[in-house]
Amino acid sequence: GVVTREAVVETARLSDPALADWIAAHVSFPNAMVDRITPRTTRADVAELRRALGVEDAWPVVCEPFTQWVIEDDFPAGRPPWEEVGVQMVDDVVPYELMKLRLLNAGHQALGHFARLLGYEYVHDAAADPDVRELLRRYMQEEARPTLRPVPGIDLDDYIDTLLDRFSNPAIADTVARLCQDASDRIPKWLVPVIV
């Protein structure tokens, strides 16, 4: 939301400063956060959809059952009743985003690199390893959690337990290689802030 607002207002300012001022005063750009593990679609996913449901889809989206969508409730002209379909409408999305980044995303980095060194191919296999699971739980509880603000409506102990279960879901078949991909971008964004 913040980035989009800046881009739209400044682009408008290049051609019409009055329009830019109007947008800044009358248009909202609510921040949002979505949390759902969605690995890359494989040929096996395409074949399974065809076999199970008779549906031809060249790029089905495979995802976990868990979903969380949080949107700042800043709509001056009204909005659809998204809360009726499970969207959390909040005043400030930042605590939810930090929770996701520092627990899920940074947790993926912790799991991924150790899992790679241990020879695991799939996240669910690594997450089932008692030593890796203990590493993740301790990272989340002892390192990441103390850096978080209170997250309204979220029990962080339950969220951590749910994350460990999500990482252990074999139906997702998420790969350790995917978690390790782009680590030079991911570690500074997600893990270093916890360390700092």
Side-chain angles (χ1 to χ4, degrees), residues 124-178:
H124 62 271
D125 290 329
D129 180 308
D131 292 330
V132 173
R133 195 171 184 89
E134 181 65 15
L135 168 82
L136 283 172
R137 181 176 297 285
R138 291 188 65 193
Y139 160 74
M140 290 179 192
Q141 286 288 1
E142 297 172 20
E143 302 297 333
R145 186 176 180 175
T147 73
L148 299 175
R149 303 181 198 174
V151 186
I154 301 292
D155 179 313
L156 288 174
D157 289 326
D158 287 345
Y159 185 78
I160 289 168
D161 289 341
T162 300
L163 278 178
L164 293 169
D165 290 342
R166 291 167 65 194
F167 292 175
S168 301
N169 184 348
I172 299 304
D174 201 1
T175 64
V176 169
R178 184 188 76 83

Side-chain angles (χ1 to χ4, degrees), residues 12-189:
R13 192 167 311 289
L14 294 172
S15 62
D16 186 344
L19 174 61
D21 292 342
W22 185 91
I23 292 169
H26 295 78
V27 178
S28 72
F29 296 83
N31 289 308
M33 185 278 295
V34 66
D35 179 1
R36 192 169 211 186
I37 299 171
T38 312
R40 182 177 305 203
T41 301
T42 66
R43 289 185 184 139
D45 297 327
V46 174
E48 177 60 19
L49 184 64
R50 184 182 314 113
R51 186 199 64 73
L53 301 176
V55 173
E56 289 291 332
D57 186 337
W59 209 269
V61 176
V62 177
C63 57
E64 66 176 332
F66 178 91
T67 187
Q68 182 181 31
W69 189 9
V70 182
I71 303 174
E72 287 177 348
D73 200 356
D74 180 21
F75 295 86
R79 62 167 174 79
W82 287 319
E83 62 278 1
E84 291 178 14
V85 293
V87 176
Q88 293 172 263
M89 303 303 300
V90 301
D91 293 331
D92 182 12
V93 79
V94 170
Y96 302 87
E97 182 179 29
L98 289 175
M99 174 187 72
K100 177 189 179 270
L101 295 175
R102 293 183 181 177
L103 293 173
L104 184 145
N105 295 108
H108 266 164
Q109 289 302 295
L111 179 146
H113 299 288
F114 286 107
R116 182 82 152 210
L117 291 170
L118 292 167
Y120 287 108
E121 181 179 356
Y122 290 100
V123 173
H124 62 271
D125 290 329
D129 180 308
D131 292 330
V132 173
R133 195 171 184 89
E134 181 65 15
L135 168 82
L136 283 172
R137 181 176 297 285
R138 291 188 65 193
Y139 160 74
M140 290 179 192
Q141 286 288 1
E142 297 172 20
E143 302 297 333
R145 186 176 180 175
T147 73
L148 299 175
R149 303 181 198 174
V151 186
I154 301 292
D155 179 313
L156 288 174
D157 289 326
D158 287 345
Y159 185 78
I160 289 168
D161 289 341
T162 300
L163 278 178
L164 293 169
D165 290 342
R166 291 167 65 194
F167 292 175
S168 301
N169 184 348
I172 299 304
D174 201 1
T175 64
V176 169
R178 184 188 76 83
L179 300 189
C180 294
Q181 180 180 331
D182 300 324
S184 61
D185 281 340
R186 293 174 175 190
I187 289 172
K189 282 193 258 185

